[in-house]
Amino acid sequence: MDGGFGMDVVLRCALGFAICLFAVHGWAQIANTSAGAPEKIIIDTDIGDDVDDAFALALALKSPELQVLGVMTTFGDTETREKLTDRFLGEVGRAEIPVLAGKPTATKNPMSQRRYAEDGHFAKATHGDAVEFLLEQIRKYPGEITLIAIGPLMNVGAAIDKDAATFRKLKRVVLMGGSIRRGYGDLGYTPPVPPMPEWNILNDVASAQKLFAPGVPLFVMPLDSTQLKMDEVKRAFLFSQGTAVTDQLAVLYHLWGQETPTLFDPMTIAFVLRPDLCPVQGMHIRVDEKGFTREEPGAANAQVCLNSNAEDFFRFYLRRVAARQR
């Protein structure tokens, strides 16, 4: 064999994987090779009522695959929710993450973890506007941001109203919301419970209808796949770890004041990290005026997870959140 092009390619390939890619596939292939950069996410949450929002935030913070650009608060007393999030982030050493408030709304829903927020630890003097922040970040990183929506959809609807073209430049929205074939209390082994209006959809039906209109890739984790009961064995394991994150979860759990939390919201974060934990299928979903998420014939407007395996989810969740490293 002479010292022509063939031998040259072999020698170059021996120098390293990148040069081999160039010889065989060209520079375009190298340019498309991911360096494994963290996925940019923004979390939109009504943290402070049910405790599952805090468990979702904890999973995001413990996942180096994710870059949390900011946390937006929605529904009810959004300023107190801001202070609660400020403290949580400060206590776990992540005070650099911006916290933004949505517009407050009237509600009689009690905030079970209010005392945690009103303690004042790590509370910032001022906060930006959630909708402005969301649109600004999308303009800065078009096509790169996953919006994790785990509360009523006031901020989402306001962002669509303000600048729909920019909102459509999100990479995707991952939503905890809806009830497709199973309602609250249908755990898969209990008597069937028919679908019903789910909290995040019901509290702003108009915004939910806007989100389900075509425009942004939408991944939905409804009641069908998110009624994940965290029993006493799992709680005892997690709360005994003594880390900054698990200690804060223990405090918020006790302020919540109930026994067995249902980790609806963390499935959205788990799905971003491990899509196999909540396999999706294309469906056409219509949000009606009463807040039902109706499964209908037609072109898919959402990718929906109807089933998940609770043991697989908790095996992943507990290992990740209990880990000593970030």
Side-chain angles (χ1 to χ4, degrees), residues 58-67 269 273 316 320 326:
L59 179 57
L61 297 177
K62 293 289 290 185
S63 297
E65 305 96 323
L66 304 178
Q67 178 186 358
I269 306 293
L273 297 164
F316 170 74
R320 176 61 63 92
R326 178 189 165 189

Side-chain angles (χ1 to χ4, degrees), residues 38-50:
E39 179 162 1
K40 297 175 175 64
I41 69 168
I42 294 173
I43 300 172
D44 188 37
T45 174
D46 59 342
I47 193 169
D49 294 335
D50 202 342

